[in-house]
Amino acid sequence: MTDSDIRAVSPVLGHYTEDLLLSNIWERAQLQARDRSIVTVSALIARNQSIEMRHHLSLALTNGVTACEISEVIAHLAFYSGWANALMAVSIAKDVFKEQNILMEQLPPVRGAGLKVDEAFEATRTAAVDQLVGPAFHVLADYTTHALFHDLWLRAALAPRDRSLCTIAALISVGQSAQIPFHVNKAMDNGMTQEQVVEVITHLAFYAGWPNAMSAAVIAKDIFTKRTN
């Protein structure tokens, strides 16, 4: 959608889009343009918002996100936002990849060398899941271990920090407050700084709405305090 399209309906939204979102938020140095693209694409997938998807997938490629990484983000978010949302992204990315002459050979294979399991982290995470859902949901707990954390999260096609980046963006975008503390802590363990987490939340105020951003900010503030003490 062009700026003229927006201004033809809402001149003030056109003003905010150009002067605040594009010329201010996207230019802030606290987060690289590449990371902002991952965050934005993840928010659009999580919220099943297709209208801006083509533009932001193309922009992500321009901003240095590889086709391999985009492919992996979509697969990753199938688990965190649902298969239908991921397939919506696939339907649009297919055309973007065709326009950019991106071939299958450039995309991540189904199987490949993976990262090693962090045994200490897994022991803590497994115990927490068992306490949370108990034996009644042992099948869900088993899929959580083997499909998510022993397979998806260990795929080398997307760096752990980027997996955390797209995960927290998706969770914040749909107000999944119960899951945010674990994943913000994991994001910081995976290399994200406090400043970067703050900037992700600030960026998402514009793509997921102020209520979701403010709710996440309260949660993140508590996490920062606990990690400092």
Side-chain angles (χ1 to χ4, degrees):
M1 184 175 297
T2 66
D3 180 58
S4 60
D5 290 333
I6 299 171
R7 290 181 184 274
V9 173
S10 177
V12 71
L13 179 58
H15 161 71
Y16 285 139
T17 300
E18 181 59 38
D19 294 355
L20 182 57
L21 181 58
L22 301 181
S23 298
N24 188 314
I25 290 297
W26 274 87
E27 296 300 320
R28 286 174 56 81
Q30 287 82 356
L31 204 63
Q32 293 182 352
R34 172 192 179 277
D35 290 349
R36 291 189 188 277
S37 278
I38 290 176
V39 168
T40 306
V41 167
S42 298
L44 295 177
I45 293 172
R47 294 168 66 83
N48 199 23
Q49 294 174 327
S50 61
I51 193 166
E52 285 285 278
M53 183 68 70
R54 178 186 293 272
H55 167 73
H56 279 290
L57 287 171
S58 296
L59 181 62
L61 291 167
T62 299
N63 284 339
V65 185
T66 67
C68 178
E69 291 168 335
I70 289 173
S71 173
E72 203 70 15
V73 164
I74 293 172
H76 186 93
L77 290 181
F79 289 84
Y80 285 93
S81 299
W83 246 249
N85 288 20
L87 291 176
M88 175 275 295
V90 164
S91 69
I92 299 169
K94 173 179 64 69
D95 294 333
V96 173
F97 284 5
K98 183 177 181 180
E99 291 168 2
Q100 299 279 346
N101 295 315
I102 293 166
L103 305 175
M104 279 285 295
E105 292 75 15
Q106 297 171 255
L107 304 181
V110 175
R111 288 284 176 259
L115 306 176
K116 292 183 178 180
V117 174
D118 183 336
E119 298 292 351
F121 169 81
E122 274 300 288
T124 302
R125 185 201 60 76
T126 302
V129 170
D130 288 343
Q131 183 178 16
L132 184 66
V133 300
F137 289 92
H138 66 91
V139 175
L140 176 60
D142 186 65
Y143 281 130
T144 301
T145 294
H146 296 290
L148 261 68
F149 288 98
H150 289 186
D151 192 342
L152 181 72
W153 275 90
L154 298 181
R155 289 179 55 81
L158 192 66
R161 177 188 177 280
D162 292 338
R163 289 195 185 277
S164 284
L165 185 63
C166 69
T167 303
I168 63 172
L171 295 175
I172 292 167
S173 294
V174 293
Q176 289 284 356
S177 58
Q179 294 293 311
I180 290 172
F182 172 85
H183 281 287
V184 167
N185 273 302
K186 186 172 177 61
M188 296 180 77
D189 290 343
N190 283 338
M192 286 190 67
T193 66
Q194 177 175 315
E195 181 183 52
Q196 289 168 341
V197 172
V198 168
E199 196 66 20
V200 166
I201 294 171
T202 303
H203 186 94
L204 286 172
F206 292 85
Y207 287 95
W210 243 255
N212 284 333
M214 292 298 289
S215 296
V218 173
I219 296 169
K221 177 176 175 288
D222 184 56
I223 292 169
F224 300 156
T225 300
K226 290 178 178 177
R227 289 179 70 96
T228 301
N229 295 337

